[in-house]
Structures are given as structure tokens and as C-alpha cells.
Amino acid sequence: MENGSRKVRVKVPGSTANLGPGFDTLGMALNVYAWIEMSIADQTIIHLIGEQMNGIPTDKSNLLYEVAQMVFAKAGVSHPELEISMYSDIPLARGLGSSASAIVGGLAAANALIGSPLSDDTLFQMATELEQHPDNVGASLFGGLVVAFWDGERAEHIRIEPDDRLEVLVAIPHFQLQTEKARHVLPREQSLANAVFNVGHSSVLVAALCTGRLDMIPRAMKDALHQPYRAPLVPGLGHILAEATEHGALGVALSGAGPTMLALVERDSSRKAELERFLLDTLRGEQIEATLLWLKPDKSGVQVLTHFDERCTLFENIKGEVRA
Ligand code: HSE
């Protein structure tokens, strides 16, 4: 085969978007992953491994297949038949970037399969266009913290190395919330006061993250543009946003469009158990069951895996790494 590998595997992180005031602009990759394997085949076969994949198409309407074809079209090559496998630990429709990880993983795998003719920037532009916001896809692609904007034509970003003292506690409710639904509740227009509030808080939060001023996070990680409108969709969110910093969180936010809630926590904090209890008690008080997960920022972004045993299936190769 010309300029490419027989079979490629990629590992792609999930992410949080809208970090506090950074609505559609501030994302962070998290160490919860999806793995995708792709090869050129005689006939298209798509294996989606795991219960949460039930209902996702396994024909040529599959997102991974579609984004791979976009890469091939852009690179001027034709590979209409593919064998694709995917396993994901990133919960679907919970605000942890599962669709962005599929887009970025599919783009990166297809690009690697044909010898990587497309640059990371081209993949970022394609991913943003597909996802319509640059923060989840930027984080999955580049890792770390990504500050980004998209003007409808080009996306621009700067990656920030996450502070090693930062850990993340996510509370993942046992219900799904589609981004489209959570976007629909937002007002089409906002006041100047709300705009100024978010510009100021987001600017200070980014500066705090760049300079290691963790003490500023509790004051800067606040939002007026989307969380107040989405709170009715996530029972308990309003209380958690108002009080989590009094129970050991540096800052707290709705992760992406929700329903997951995310707290930044200092690694050496002695109040982790208190914060866990506060989150679970608050959610239980609203009859919401949730899973808590301690995560860390992922610093690598999407990785093309070069050392794997081609004789093993994707799942056999990764089973030591998956969370399930
Ligand atoms: N920023 C998006 C939103 C979700 O809040 O609707 C993440 O893509």
C-alpha cells in the first residue's frame, strides 16, 4: 500500500469544554480514553465494542467512517472500504467529549493510515467545522488545556500545559443529555453585563492557569452565559455551583453541555472525601444517581500507537488499560 500502514491504532482522550466561563472556548483533555483501529479492507466492517455503543450505526453512516472519508477526500486518495474497531471508556452524551473524541480519533487514524499528509492544524479545522466548537476537539487533538475560538472560517488555539497540582473530580449523572437539547435552552441574545462578566472571568481564569495562581480559580471559575440556563436540566447543579468551593473544590463547572459536573481540586487537598460526599449527597437529595471519577488532565492529546501486536484484537491489546 502506498505511503501508509496496513493497520493503525489511535488512543484519544475525552475532554471537558466550557471550563467555567470559557463557553465554547476553553477545553481540557482528561485521562479517560477511546481507542480506534482502522485498516483498508475489501468490504466495510465496523466493530463497536461495549454496551454503550448499542444503537450507534455500524454501516457507512458511522461517524468514524464518514470522517475517514473526509480525510481521504482532502488528501486526494480513495479508500471506500475500511475495517474499523472502536472501544471507548468515555461515557456518551454526558459532557465529556465523546463525539469530539470520535471525530478527532477518526481523523487522526485515517490520516495515519495514508501516511499523515494532513497537518494537525488541518485536522483541527476539519474537527471544529464538524463539531461546531473548538474546545472539545482542540483538547482531544492537542491534549492539555486548550484556549480557542472559531470565527466560522478558521479556528485558532493556544495550548497551555496543565499545572501538575490539578486533579479533576467528575460527577457523571446516570442520564444522558444531548448537546443539542442543552444548547436549545440558551437565549439567542445576552446582556452586555453577562458578556463583560464572562470575558473578565475567563481572562483571569486563563491567566491564573498560565501562571499557577490556583488561589484565583475559586473566584474566576464562574459563568453567566450558559450554566444558569442549563441548571434546570441538571437537578442539583445550582447548589453544587454555589457551594462546592466551600467543600474543597478549587472551582466547579458544568462539563461541556452537561450533565456531568466537574470540580478542579488541588492534588494534595485533604478535603477530597468531603467533596465526594457533598456531590453525592446533593445529587441523591435530587434523586439523581451519579458516578464519581477522579481524573487528571491528559497532556498528550491523540496518539498514533506504534507498538502493538497486530495479531491481537484491539480489545485484547488495550484490556490492561481500560477502566471497565
Ligand atoms: N460548548 C458546547 C456547548 C458543548 O456548551 O453547547 C461542547 O461542545
Side-chain angles (χ1 to χ4, degrees):
M1 198 189 72
E2 78 290 331
N3 293 330
S5 321
R6 214 167 65 78
K7 186 186 268 185
V8 296
R9 284 188 186 158
V10 303
K11 176 180 179 182
V12 58
S15 58
T16 186
N18 300 339
L19 195 61
F23 180 65
D24 278 358
T25 59
L26 183 52
M28 183 167 67
L30 298 169
N31 67 338
V32 57
Y33 298 97
W35 289 260
I36 295 161
E37 179 180 276
M38 196 178 282
S39 56
I40 292 163
D42 295 329
Q43 193 185 344
T44 292
I45 308 173
I46 299 174
H47 315 273
L48 302 175
I49 309 157
E51 256 179 44
Q52 67 160 343
M53 301 291 192
N54 291 345
I56 296 180
T58 53
D59 58 14
K60 289 183 175 177
S61 67
N62 180 278
L63 181 62
L64 296 170
Y65 177 86
E66 289 183 343
V67 300
Q69 294 306 321
M70 288 176 200
V71 169
F72 301 151
K74 191 121 188 149
V77 299
S78 171
H79 295 298
E81 306 300 334
L82 297 172
E83 181 162 359
I84 300 172
S85 300
M86 179 181 193
Y87 174 84
S88 181
D89 269 341
I90 308 167
L92 296 187
R94 304 296 163 89
L96 289 168
S98 59
S99 81
S101 69
I103 289 170
V104 167
L107 292 173
N111 194 37
L113 192 59
I114 57 169
S116 301
L118 306 186
S119 66
D120 282 354
D121 181 65
T122 300
L123 299 185
F124 181 44
Q125 302 307 324
M126 292 171 79
T128 302
E129 181 99 37
L130 283 162
E131 184 74 355
Q132 301 277 300
H133 330 103
D135 43 357
N136 281 125
V137 292
S140 278
L141 189 56
F142 301 115
L145 280 149
V146 168
V147 192
F149 65 80
W150 185 50
D151 64 10
E153 287 187 9
R154 256 198 72 76
E156 303 294 352
H157 84 285
I158 290 184
R159 180 189 180 285
I160 305 171
E161 192 64 14
D163 193 303
D164 281 334
R165 293 169 296 168
L166 283 181
E167 283 190 5
V168 175
L169 177 60
V170 288
I172 309 169
H174 295 180
F175 66 88
Q176 297 193 340
L177 179 55
Q178 300 298 334
T179 300
E180 201 185 326
K181 180 176 174 198
R183 228 172 156 85
H184 195 69
V185 301
L186 303 182
R188 299 294 98 197
E189 294 184 359
Q190 291 269 2
S191 68
L192 182 61
N194 282 356
V196 171
F197 182 96
N198 269 59
V199 171
H201 283 72
S202 188
S203 303
V204 172
L205 180 63
V206 169
L209 292 167
C210 288
T211 56
R213 286 284 306 277
L214 302 190
D215 63 298
M216 187 56 82
I217 293 176
R219 280 170 281 167
M221 202 160 150
K222 292 181 182 160
D223 161 79
L225 291 181
H226 78 111
Q227 292 178 166
Y229 305 99
R230 286 171 166 170
L233 300 176
V234 185
L237 173 63
H239 184 60
I240 287 170
L241 290 174
E243 294 189 12
T245 53
E246 290 164 33
H247 295 277
L250 281 172
V252 67
L254 188 63
S255 182
T260 293
M261 285 146 276
L262 169 140
L264 295 183
V265 183
E266 204 161 349
R267 185 187 51 200
D268 298 331
S269 168
S270 58
R271 302 179 68 192
K272 290 179 176 174
E274 178 190 342
L275 182 60
E276 290 179 2
R277 239 185 351 263
F278 166 71
L279 293 175
L280 285 180
D281 288 351
T282 303
L283 292 168
R284 277 194 197 122
E286 301 284 349
Q287 281 80 51
I288 301 291
E289 288 301 317
T291 299
L292 297 186
L293 207 53
W294 281 98
L295 297 173
K296 291 192 168 75
D298 163 274
K299 296 185 177 182
S300 306
V302 67
Q303 301 172 65
V304 178
L305 304 177
T306 47
H307 300 295
F308 63 89
D309 187 346
E310 284 212 19
R311 292 164 305 176
C312 294
T313 65
L314 173 67
F315 194 70
E316 283 167 350
N317 263 177
I318 64 175
K319 66 181 175 218
E321 278 191 81
V322 303
R323 283 177 183 270

